[in-house]
Amino acid sequence: MIQLLFLVLFAEGVLAFLLLVKIGPLRELVIKSLDQLKTGKGPATVKTIAGTMSVILLSSLMSIVKIQNKGAKLGTMSPMDQVLWRTHLLEASLMAIWF
């Protein structure tokens, strides 16, 4: 397993080196190969990122509701709860802009 990891790291290093050094046709071959490899992967990537952002947004919203319920039960929110509430609200509002 560790050997596979080192093999992948070595391959990434060689690929980065070939992209960095301008060795004419070899660099162009690497770029074309990467372009062919990435073709058609856009929609899956977008769906994965959107799903991840949705989970984080829902987590922030749940934290906001949990803090509000705690404050309503006690009658007041502690300063720490206020800071956490504002942080989660800012995080959720910034993520909601992208949707």
Side-chain angles (χ1 to χ4, degrees), residues 20-68:
L20 186 65
V21 178
K22 295 181 181 178
I23 307 179
L26 188 59
R27 183 174 186 228
E28 290 178 15
L29 178 68
V30 170
I31 291 173
K32 286 182 183 180
S33 299
L34 283 175
D35 190 37
Q36 285 292 328
L37 184 69
K38 293 189 310 184
T39 301
K41 304 282 196 252
T45 304
V46 170
K47 288 177 187 176
T48 303
I49 292 172
T52 304
M53 286 183 64
S54 298
V55 168
I56 294 171
L57 178 63
L58 288 175
S59 173
S60 292
L61 292 175
M62 287 175 51
S63 295
I64 290 170
V65 170
K66 196 182 296 183
I67 291 170
Q68 283 180 336

Side-chain angles (χ1 to χ4, degrees), residues 2 5 15 21 23 34 36 40 43 48 50 56 59-62 70 75-76 78-79 82 87 89 95 97-99:
I2 293 176
L5 178 66
L15 186 67
V21 178
I23 307 179
L34 283 175
Q36 285 292 328
T48 303
I56 294 171
S59 173
S60 292
L61 292 175
M62 287 175 51
K70 181 181 171 186
T76 183
S78 69
Q82 290 176 359
T87 303
L89 185 65
M95 265 191 280
I97 290 172
W98 291 102
F99 285 110

Side-chain angles (χ1 to χ4, degrees), residues 3-20:
Q3 293 171 346
L4 181 63
L5 178 66
F6 282 120
L7 180 67
V8 169
L9 288 174
F10 180 73
E12 286 179 358
V14 169
L15 186 67
F17 177 74
L18 290 175
L19 288 173
L20 186 65

